Amino acid sequence: MQGNEPRLVASSSNLLLRRLSPADQALLEPFAETVTVQRGARLFSPADRLSDFYFPESAIFSLEEQVGQSRHIEVAVIGREGLLGWPALLGSDVMTHAVVAQLRAGSTLRIAVEPLRRHCGVRVLDALLQFVHLIIVQMGRSIASHLHDTVNKRIARWLLMRHDRLGGDVLLVQHDEIAANLSVRRASITDGLHMLEGELLIRCNRGRILIRDRSALEERAGDAYGEAEAQYRNLIAPFGKSAGCRLIAA
């Protein structure tokens, strides 16, 4: 690498990469490249061979579990706090879920699996495996929420998780996208958003949802939201937009 080339890993907004020591960042630097992912793009399909890890920066991704022939239920959301392709850290060479870009076009760093494994010392592996633990916590909460929570509670959780991963307070999303992620009728999403808007928690306008009252939205989500996020802050780094948290801007 030439001295005037950008240091992609060291300057990344991905929180996992920022947590690494300068020496570990330097080891990964020669293998990193920036990839721009368009909204709606499918990064992985189930059973895809894992040749690369992706460390999102401004991009946000949904992990989806297929149900039947045509339905997909969101089981996790990953943005700048995590990585994609994590089954390769556990000895698997195939992806377990579909991974789809959400809300907007964005950037992610790509690092091939083989060189990361080769140069990955104990410190790097520990840092990445802590995130794997947390994504399992998040997926467990998603399953429980899908089975037991009301649609309105699930909508509040969905909005909060996107809000955590955006630099601002506006989500560019259509009602049918939320309905597809939560596997509920579009009309139920519209009714739920209207209720939240009537309570002045959000404002909806032509594919834009403005988060107006974050604290009240967290109250609506209740125990459906917060456990994985709190553990992330304790184990890895400040993350999210809850009271007392600091989100590193995109």
Side-chain angles (χ1 to χ4, degrees):
M1 175 178 294
Q2 300 299 319
N4 60 352
E5 291 182 357
R7 299 173 65 218
L8 299 178
V9 175
S11 63
S12 177
S13 60
N14 182 278
L15 300 186
L16 290 181
L17 295 179
R18 293 184 68 155
R19 186 187 180 208
L20 302 180
S21 69
D24 289 330
Q25 291 173 346
L27 285 175
L28 298 179
E29 192 71 50
F31 310 104
E33 60 177 325
T34 300
V35 177
T36 299
V37 181
Q38 298 301 315
R39 177 178 181 169
R42 182 176 287 249
L43 197 62
F44 291 109
S45 293
D48 277 355
R49 304 296 294 183
L50 288 169
S51 58
D52 299 293
F53 293 106
Y54 292 85
F55 294 83
E57 296 179 312
S58 58
I60 299 171
F61 296 93
S62 172
L63 272 67
E64 299 179 349
E65 179 76 31
Q66 184 168 339
V67 180
Q69 295 298 314
S70 58
R71 293 174 58 209
H72 293 82
I73 298 175
E74 179 178 280
V75 294
V77 182
I78 297 175
R80 70 173 67 87
E81 82 288 357
L83 80 155
L84 299 159
W86 49 266
L89 295 171
L90 305 177
S92 175
D93 291 323
V94 296
M95 189 60 193
T96 53
H97 297 85
V99 178
V100 181
Q102 299 276 311
L103 298 183
R104 62 182 182 184
S107 65
T108 176
L109 286 191
R110 178 168 61 195
I111 301 177
V113 167
E114 193 279 328
L116 188 144
R117 281 174 169 170
R118 186 171 68 246
H119 294 283
C120 185
V122 173
R123 291 173 303 179
V124 175
L125 182 61
D126 284 348
L128 300 184
L129 287 178
Q130 281 182 331
F131 173 75
V132 175
H133 160 71
L134 294 172
I135 202 65
I136 292 171
V137 173
Q138 187 193 142
M139 292 171 71
R141 183 64 260 176
S142 295
I143 294 167
S145 185
H146 176 74
L147 291 173
H148 298 292
D149 290 340
T150 65
V151 171
N152 288 354
K153 191 172 181 178
R154 292 168 62 200
I155 292 172
R157 177 179 187 265
W158 191 97
L159 293 171
L160 289 166
M161 294 179 72
R162 264 64 180 182
H163 191 221
D164 281 338
R165 292 161 175 83
L166 288 172
D169 297 323
V170 176
L171 285 67
L172 302 179
V173 63
Q174 301 292 333
H175 293 193
D176 55 358
E177 295 177 66
I178 305 175
N181 283 162
L182 298 182
S183 191
V184 299
R185 296 183 307 117
R186 185 185 188 281
S188 298
I189 298 300
T190 299
D191 291 345
L193 291 175
H194 283 169
M195 183 176 295
L196 294 175
E197 189 170 27
E199 296 173 351
L200 304 182
L201 275 61
I202 62 173
R203 179 182 296 137
C204 302
N205 182 30
R206 297 183 179 180
R208 294 166 55 92
I209 300 177
L210 171 67
I211 306 299
R212 299 182 64 187
D213 190 336
R214 166 84 189 200
S215 295
L217 197 60
E218 289 186 19
E219 291 180 8
R220 296 296 181 275
D223 61 1
Y225 169 84
E227 177 61 26
E229 292 75 15
Q231 288 197 36
Y232 189 101
R233 292 190 289 272
N234 289 335
L235 289 173
I236 298 177
F239 171 69
K241 294 182 180 177
S242 299
C245 301
R246 178 173 57 87
L247 178 70
I248 297 176

